[in-house]
Amino acid sequence: MSIIKCFQIAFIALRLNALRSLLTMLGIIIGIASVIVMVSISDGAQQQIDERINSLGTNMLMVRPGSSFFGGRRGGAGSAPPMTETDVSVLKELNFVEGVSGYLRSSGAMVFSGTNWQAEVAGIHPDYIDVRQWEIEEGRNFTEREVKTGGKVALVGQTIINELFSGNDPIGQRFRIKNIPFTVVGTLKGKGQSSWGQDQDDIVMVPISTHRMRVSGRRSSASVNSVGSISLTVDPGFDISEAEEEIKYVMRDKRKISPGSEDNFSVRNLSEFIEARSATQRTLGVLLAATAAISLVVGGIGIMNIMLVSVTERTKEIGLRMAVGARGIDILNQFLVESVVLCLVGSVIGIGIGFGLTELIGSLGEWPVLIKSTTILIAVGAAAFVGVFFGFYPARRASQLDPIDALRTE
Amino acid sequence: MSPSAIQVSTGAPLIACNGLRKEYRMGSEVVHALDGVSFNIGEGELISIMGASGSGKSTLMNMLGVLDTPTSGGLHIEGNDIAKMNRDDLARLRNHTLGFVFQNFNLLPRTSAVENVKLPLMYGNLHGFNADERAKECLELVGLGDRMDHHPNQLSGGQQQRVAIARALVNGPRIILADEPTGALDYKTGKEILQLFRKLNESGITMIIVTHDQEVGEFCDRQLVFRDGKLLSDSNNLQSMGAAE
C-alpha cells in the first residue's frame, strides 16, 4: 500500500472523529506552540547578546590603571598611576595592535546660542572611533595634528544634535564647553542605548590633549600626560588572549613592576562581561526548551491514549481489513500514520499559534524574539517523532490482533 | 450432468482437506473442533457446509478462509500447502484468491458503498484494476448501481449484504466464502441473495456457503454436513436430482 494512500486513509479516519481528533491534537498544538514561543524568545535574547558583543568589538581590549599598593595601604580601583601618552605610543608600536586610543571623561555644561545642555565630554585619540566601533556620519574625524596641538574641535553625538542644536546640521557651528569655544567638525552615527540602559549618543568627543588641558582641568604633575584608560583593537588574525599576555608583559615593564608583585593595572576583554550574561541566558533558554519539551511529551501521551482507545474501538474493522488481505504491516502503518498525521496537523496549527504568540510578545512586551527556520524544522521533527514514538505501541497492538478474534468482537 | 459436476471429477481440487484437525484448549480440557476431516472442493462448485452450532462448521470456515491454521492435517488451496505459508502469505491469499461475506455484513460505518467495496484493492490489486471503476462495476453487478455513495446506515440489510458481496468480488477472487449470508435477512431478501450467489457461481466463482439453514443447503449443488467436528455426509444435490428425474 502506498504511503499517499496511508495518509488518505488516516485523514478519512480522523475526519470521522473530528472533535476527538481535535481534542487529541490540542496537546500537540500547545506543545509545539510553546516550543516555538520559548525557543524564539531565547533565540531573540541570544541574538541581542551577540549583537552587543559584536558592537563592542570582540577583538577589543581595555587597559586600565588598577589599585595602588603603597606601604601596605591599598588604594581603590583606579588609584594607581594613570595610563599615559607614552603608554599609548608604546602600545602603538606592538605589531598586533590595530588601533589604540586613550579615553578621558568628564561631564561638562555646554551652550549653543542660548540653549544649554549637560553631557559627557570624552577626550580621545582619532583611533577611538574605529576601536569602539563608532562611525562618523558627516564631517570628519580629528587629525593627529589637532590632537597634538590641542585643537578646539569636537565630534557630537545624535542626542547632542537634537538637544543642543535643535536637530539642525551642527557641522561648522561653534559652541562652548565649560565656556571654551569649540567647532563641530563631525557628527557621530547613533548607537542607541548601551546594554546598561545608558544613552550612548549623549556625548561630545574632543581631542584628548584639549580635554586634558581645558575640559577636565587636571594640571597636577601626575596627570600631565594622563590618558585615563586605553582601548585598543587587536589584529583579527591574532589570538586575543596571547595579545592580552603580551600587553601585560609590556606594561609591567613600562610601569616598572618588580617580578612577583601584583599588576597595578588591568587588561580586560569587554566581551567577557557579556559572555557571563550570555551564559545565564543560555541556561534560561535550556530551561524554557525543557518546559516546552515536557508539554510536548504530555501531548504525546494524550495521542497514545487516544490511539489505544481507537484500536480497541475499531477491533472489528481491523479484523475485517485483515480478512480482506491487510498484512500486519499494513495495519501497523495505518495506525502509525494516523498518529503521525495527528501530530503533524497539530504541529502545523501549533506553529501558526506559536508564530502569532511570538509576534505578540515581541510587539507588546517589547521583548527581543527571533523565529528561525530551524526552530520550525525542529518543531515539526519533534511532532513527527512524538507521533511515531507514542503511536507505535498502539499500532503494534493493532497489527498483532488475531483476525478471528477481531472479527468476532462486537 | 452439469459442468460443475464434471469439474469435480476431473479437475485438480481447488481446495483439498486431508485429515484436518483443530484443537482448542479450554482450561484443562481439549476441545476437538475439527476431528480429522477430509474432502475436496473443485473449481466452480456451489457448495454448502452445514451443521448445528458446535459442529465445527465455523472453525472449518476460518480454516478455508486461512484466518486460522489447523492443529494437524493438510490443507491445500490452489495447490499451496497452507502450513508452509507465513502470515503475510496468508494475507495475500485472502486478498487475491478469497472473498468473504459475513452474516452481519461487516461494512465500515460512515463510509460510502463504493469506498467499502474498494477496501480489498487497497491491500493488493492483482489484476491492476482502476479501483473506482472496478468498485462501480462490482456494485452494478450486484444491482446497486444507484446506491454507490450511500452509507451503510442508509441501506437495507439486503442492500448492505450486496455491498459486502461486491466487496468480496472486487479483486476477482476464485473462491467466495459466505458465513450465514442470509442469517440476518428476511426470507425474500435471503432468496435474492442466494440467486445472486448462483449467478456469480455460473460466472465461474467457487461459492462456499456456511449455514445451518436446511433450505440454503438444499439450494446448493453439494452439501457437506458436519456434526461434532466430523464430516457426517457429503451429498450431491445434482446427482440426486438427476437420479430423481
Side-chain angles (χ1 to χ4, degrees):
Chain A
M1 193 161 51
S2 77
I3 193 78
I4 298 165
K5 226 170 222 169
C6 276
F7 275 90
Q8 277 174 347
I9 296 170
F11 268 112
I12 291 166
L14 294 173
R15 221 179 40 211
L16 289 179
N17 274 310
L19 180 64
R20 183 205 281 181
S21 303
L22 190 73
L23 289 175
T24 311
M25 273 192 276
L26 209 55
I28 294 296
I29 293 172
I30 293 170
I32 291 293
S34 51
V35 166
I36 300 262
V37 172
M38 306 283 185
V39 173
S40 297
I41 285 178
S42 97
D43 280 351
Q46 191 58 47
Q47 189 197 31
Q48 202 181 36
I49 286 163
D50 290 349
E51 274 169 10
R52 279 178 190 164
I53 291 176
N54 288 336
S55 77
L56 281 168
T58 43
N59 61 338
M60 197 196 81
L61 291 174
M62 281 185 78
V63 188
R64 291 180 159 166
S67 61
S68 63
F69 187 78
F70 192 76
R73 194 181 66 98
R74 295 177 73 199
S79 58
M83 298 296 152
T84 64
E85 288 286 354
T86 358
D87 294 334
V88 172
S89 37
V90 165
L91 289 174
K92 213 170 217 166
E93 296 298 304
L94 296 174
N95 58 0
F96 58 82
V97 171
E98 262 188 348
V100 58
S101 169
Y103 175 78
L104 284 173
R105 59 164 295 176
S106 65
S107 182
M110 45 201 76
V111 183
F112 173 69
S113 70
T115 317
N116 70 80
W117 185 246
Q118 179 92 17
E120 178 183 340
V121 182
I124 58 162
H125 290 97
D127 277 358
Y128 189 79
I129 301 298
D130 286 337
V131 167
R132 297 305 291 259
Q133 309 217 325
W134 283 93
E135 268 176 71
I136 304 287
E137 194 174 51
E138 273 174 70
R140 60 170 178 87
N141 197 351
F142 306 137
T143 61
E144 287 292 344
R145 210 182 111 77
E146 278 164 344
V147 173
K148 231 164 239 160
T149 58
K152 284 177 267 183
V153 287
L155 296 166
V156 293
Q158 292 297 321
T159 307
I160 305 294
I161 296 172
N162 290 331
E163 299 294 342
L164 197 62
F165 296 97
S166 321
N168 298 320
D169 181 12
I171 291 180
Q173 299 289 351
R174 284 167 70 87
F175 70 111
R176 289 171 175 273
I177 304 172
K178 290 191 173 174
N179 233 1
I180 299 145
F182 282 87
T183 307
V184 179
V185 294
T187 60
L188 297 164
K189 207 168 185 178
K191 260 193 167 184
Q193 285 196 344
S194 74
S195 40
W196 297 274
Q198 185 196 354
D199 180 10
Q200 299 179 92
D201 297 325
D202 194 7
I203 192 167
V204 173
M205 295 183 187
V206 300
I208 196 161
S209 50
T210 321
H211 192 282
R212 198 158 46 225
M213 288 184 291
R214 303 187 181 266
V215 181
S216 49
R218 288 185 202 160
R219 297 252 163 80
S220 69
S221 59
S223 61
V224 75
N225 255 334
S226 164
V227 294
S229 63
I230 296 173
S231 303
L232 61 89
T233 43
V234 173
D235 193 317
F238 200 83
D239 182 50
I240 188 106
S241 39
E242 210 174 300
E244 241 179 278
E245 288 309 307
E246 193 106 351
I247 287 166
K248 271 185 187 159
Y249 178 80
V250 171
M251 292 309 289
R252 280 179 75 93
D253 186 50
K254 178 76 196 20
R255 289 165 85 91
K256 297 192 174 61
I257 297 165
S258 50
S261 314
E262 269 183 56
D263 294 345
N264 64 358
F265 63 95
S266 65
V267 182
R268 297 298 289 268
N269 182 345
L270 257 204
S271 55
E272 283 168 16
F273 295 104
I274 310 286
E275 257 159 29
R277 247 177 85 136
S278 154
T280 322
Q281 286 283 12
R282 263 196 293 275
T283 314
L284 184 72
V286 168
L287 278 177
L288 288 177
T291 315
I294 287 168
S295 58
L296 207 53
V297 168
V298 172
I301 291 167
I303 296 253
M304 180 146 134
N305 188 17
I306 284 299
M307 291 313 292
L308 281 172
V309 169
S310 177
V311 167
T312 309
E313 223 180 48
R314 285 153 69 190
T315 303
K316 204 181 176 89
E317 176 194 323
I318 294 164
L320 173 72
R321 286 179 186 272
M322 286 175 162
V324 301
R327 293 164 300 161
I329 185 88
D330 292 324
I331 301 294
L332 183 101
N333 283 343
Q334 182 191 343
F335 282 90
L336 210 52
V337 167
E338 255 178 54
S339 143
V340 169
V341 164
L342 268 179
C343 286
L344 286 182
V345 172
S347 79
V348 168
I349 300 173
I351 286 168
I353 293 175
F355 252 79
L357 278 179
T358 305
E359 292 298 331
L360 209 66
I361 289 169
S363 59
L364 290 186
E366 290 182 3
W367 199 285
V369 292
L370 175 68
I371 301 174
K372 288 190 200 159
S373 51
T374 49
T375 309
I376 292 160
L377 281 180
I378 288 168
V380 173
F385 175 77
V386 164
V388 172
F389 186 83
F390 289 101
F392 187 77
Y393 174 68
R396 210 173 105 89
R397 229 162 96 144
S399 74
Q400 288 178 338
L401 283 173
D402 180 52
I404 301 165
D405 292 340
L407 271 171
R408 227 180 259 144
T409 50
E410 281 309 321
Chain B
M1 235 184 215
S2 87
S4 59
I6 292 167
Q7 278 175 326
V8 175
S9 53
T10 60
L14 184 58
I15 298 174
C17 297
N18 197 358
L20 210 54
R21 236 171 242 287
K22 183 69 185 181
E23 291 165 3
Y24 293 108
R25 213 165 264 283
M26 303 271 255
S28 56
E29 238 179 300
V30 176
V31 179
H32 299 275
L34 280 180
D35 198 3
V37 174
S38 304
F39 62 90
N40 290 341
I41 297 175
E43 177 113 49
E45 282 198 72
L46 174 55
I47 186 167
S48 69
I49 293 173
M50 300 201 52
S53 70
S55 61
K57 64 181 195 300
S58 291
T59 306
L60 181 63
M61 166 90 179
N62 290 337
M63 296 291 155
L64 297 181
V66 297
L67 292 163
D68 204 353
T69 47
T71 311
S72 69
L75 172 59
H76 290 74
I77 296 178
E78 294 184 306
N80 298 308
D81 188 354
I82 297 308
K84 286 180 182 156
M85 294 170 91
N86 62 27
R87 261 179 87 117
D88 287 356
D89 292 334
L90 296 178
R92 197 170 301 117
L93 184 69
R94 285 196 292 273
N95 185 252
H96 291 164
T97 308
L98 299 166
F100 286 89
V101 177
F102 304 94
Q103 181 174 3
N104 294 318
F105 327 132
N106 274 347
L107 299 177
L108 296 182
R110 290 175 290 179
T111 306
S112 69
V114 72
E115 289 299 324
N116 262 295
V117 172
K118 274 159 70 180
L119 192 66
L121 288 175
M122 244 176 233
Y123 300 108
N125 193 341
L126 186 63
H127 305 287
F129 293 126
N130 173 309
D132 283 302
E133 278 172 20
R134 174 66 183 171
K136 282 175 185 163
E137 196 181 297
C138 290
L139 278 169
E140 271 160 15
L141 190 72
V142 299
L144 281 179
D146 55 344
R147 296 273 195 285
M148 305 228 192
D149 296 318
H150 286 56
H151 287 191
N153 59 358
Q154 298 167 312
L155 296 169
S156 70
Q159 287 167 337
Q160 288 188 51
Q161 193 60 297
R162 282 166 192 273
V163 174
I165 292 166
R167 181 181 62 197
L169 283 173
V170 77
N171 228 344
R174 292 177 78 183
I175 305 162
I176 287 183
L177 285 162
D179 187 8
E180 300 280 6
T182 59
L185 303 173
D186 61 66
Y187 181 76
K188 186 170 160 282
T189 317
K191 265 274 189 273
E192 285 167 12
I193 294 294
L194 287 179
Q195 288 305 329
L196 180 57
F197 282 167
R198 170 71 74 186
K199 194 172 110 188
L200 296 174
N201 176 241
E202 279 162 2
S203 76
I205 300 170
T206 305
M207 301 293 304
I208 303 172
I209 304 172
V210 175
T211 184
H212 67 272
D213 184 340
Q214 190 60 41
E215 207 167 329
V216 174
E218 279 164 9
F219 176 83
C220 299
D221 297 343
R222 184 178 163 201
Q223 255 177 294
L224 298 176
V225 181
F226 285 81
R227 183 180 293 165
D228 296 333
K230 289 194 170 75
L231 181 59
L232 196 69
S233 73
D234 179 352
S235 56
N236 196 325
N237 292 341
L238 289 168
Q239 274 173 349
S240 55
M241 270 196 298
E245 274 166 23

